[in-house]
Amino acid sequence: MKAISQRSIGGPDVLETVEVPIPQPAPGEVLVRVAASGVNPADWKLRSGAVTVLGPPPFTLGFDFSGTVRELGEGVTEFGVGDEVFGMVLSRDGAYAEYVVVPVAALAPKPATLDHVHAAALPTAVLTAWQALTEVRPGDRVLIHAAAGGVGHLAVQIASAAGAHVIGTARAANHEFLRELGANELIDYTTTDFTTAVADIDLAYDLVGGDYSVRSLAVLRPDGRVVDAQGEPIDDPRYHRHYVQVSGADLREITPLIESGKLRVEVERVLSIADVVEAHKLSESGRVRGKIVLTTWAD
Ligand SMILES: NC(=O)c1ccc[n+]([C@@H]2O[C@H](COP(=O)([O-])OP(=O)(O)OC[C@H]3O[C@@H](n4cnc5c(N)ncnc54)[C@H](OP(=O)(O)O)[C@@H]3O)[C@@H](O)[C@H]2O)c1
């Protein structure tokens, strides 16, 4: 099969197409024919060595996929060959490939209302937002930094569906988009320091990093919290570092929101996997609204 691999850590040009054997599912795993693969900032961070959790290259990137089950490992009864599925895989043999092997616990049936491109855009971003915002209650004031990004635009909708008053930081060009998704107030961070524009926040969600978490502590209610997906941990009882957990069960729980239209995923760019270098350059720009998705090789 074809896969995108890299022999060294570096810029987007280290990504190359290689021919490798189709992986075999172990007990409790399935083999998925990947139709589309979502791009996450973690991909360029792993490619460039800013994040090293995959170990040294060679490896194949790609956490997110949507596709069709082609083979079942021993003991798998939850899925059948031909099922359309989506999920998240944390592996050195990721989803920038024709096929990926996935534990069944990481998979869910593809939402009936989505094509593979939109399903592949979701797993990492929606699991991150969903798990970070589980404690949001009706009436909470929730501040979401980088509201227009892959995680942020889903977080806006999840917090809004939970009954929160949602405030987002984004460039003015993204404000209308975010209002349509349920944001109540928006701050253009290029002209306004958010610490002067908001107060009494129950939960500030930091998807930017740098000093955003420290500065967000200043706008909390006394019992408010900062949840940080990105940045150096801070020693403060109101600060919580959050890491996404792979969970097919959570994807199943989120699916009714997607199928009822309450949660929609914005895909700004769909590129062929042959254009993976361009996809990484775009993701690295930090300017993508919603998600970038790669379509994989045709049969
Ligand atoms: N801890 C975890 O488990 C976990 C999981 C997923 C993601 N993450 C991390 O969370 C971060 C966000 O991920 P993502 O996928 O949402 O990223 P993304 O899609 O690449 O985010 C792009 C968005 O960031 C916005 N942005 C950039 N600088 C900003 C600023 N200073 N203030 C407000 N908005 C800003 C841009 O909107 P404008 O054009 O409006 O500026 C753009 O729409 C990344 O660093 C990622 O690595 C962590």
Side-chain angles (χ1 to χ4, degrees):
M1 69 165 187
K2 291 190 181 64
I4 301 294
S5 183
Q6 60 184 97
R7 280 177 279 191
S8 58
I9 292 296
D13 293 332
V14 299
L15 299 170
E16 58 180 335
T17 304
V18 296
E19 198 67 42
V20 291
I22 295 177
Q24 291 304 298
E29 295 179 335
V30 301
L31 179 72
V32 175
R33 175 64 166 96
V34 178
S37 181
V39 175
N40 290 287
D43 299 355
W44 64 258
K45 293 177 188 179
L46 287 160
R47 187 211 70 227
S48 66
V51 174
T52 56
V53 288
L54 291 184
F59 48 69
T60 290
L61 296 169
F63 293 160
D64 293 340
F65 60 88
S66 183
T68 306
V69 174
R70 279 291 168 87
E71 220 178 295
L72 306 178
E74 202 186 306
V76 173
T77 55
E78 297 89 334
F79 296 96
V81 170
D83 286 358
E84 296 196 316
V85 291
F86 75 141
M88 177 181 174
V89 60
L90 287 179
S91 164
R92 287 170 57 83
D93 298 306
Y96 289 7
E98 277 184 271
Y99 293 88
V100 66
V101 157
V102 193
V104 287
L107 274 181
K110 179 174 75 63
T113 50
L114 297 187
D115 58 16
H116 284 300
V117 164
H118 288 80
L122 277 163
T124 299
V126 83
L127 288 171
T128 304
W130 180 258
Q131 293 164 2
L133 300 176
T134 48
E135 286 171 26
V136 172
R137 297 288 171 262
D140 281 358
R141 288 169 58 79
V142 175
L143 172 63
I144 297 168
H145 293 301
V151 180
H153 84 292
L154 297 167
V156 165
Q157 297 173 76
I158 290 166
S160 179
H165 180 88
V166 180
I167 305 160
T169 58
R171 281 179 306 141
N174 284 323
H175 287 192
E176 195 183 329
F177 163 66
L178 290 166
R179 268 197 200 96
E180 280 170 12
L181 296 183
N184 302 97
E185 291 178 49
L186 290 153
I187 301 166
D188 180 354
Y189 67 90
T190 66
T191 56
T192 306
D193 175 349
F194 73 87
T195 62
T196 66
V198 287
D200 299 328
I201 296 297
D202 294 286
L203 190 155
Y205 190 20
D206 180 5
L207 292 160
V208 175
D211 62 3
Y212 268 67
S213 283
V214 175
R215 289 165 62 222
S216 295
L217 289 172
V219 302
L220 297 181
R221 282 194 211 279
D223 59 350
R225 308 183 307 132
V226 169
V227 176
D228 182 15
Q230 167 59 29
E232 288 303 309
I234 299 168
D235 187 14
D236 187 295
R238 298 167 296 165
Y239 173 89
H240 305 267
R241 184 71 161 90
H242 177 255
Y243 295 95
V244 63
Q245 305 294 317
V246 176
S247 172
D250 282 0
L251 289 177
R252 286 174 194 264
E253 215 177 306
I254 295 163
T255 292
L257 276 180
I258 298 163
E259 291 182 339
S260 67
K262 289 191 183 124
L263 186 57
R264 77 169 179 86
V265 61
E266 171 80 3
V267 177
E268 183 182 310
R269 286 292 294 278
V270 184
L271 292 165
S272 154
I273 199 151
D275 297 320
V276 65
V277 169
E278 186 187 345
H280 272 228
K281 287 178 180 166
L282 280 170
S283 176
E284 215 161 339
S285 75
R287 287 279 83 83
V288 175
R289 175 195 280 191
K291 299 290 300 181
I292 303 168
V293 177
L294 300 168
T295 53
T296 53
W297 298 272
D299 272 323

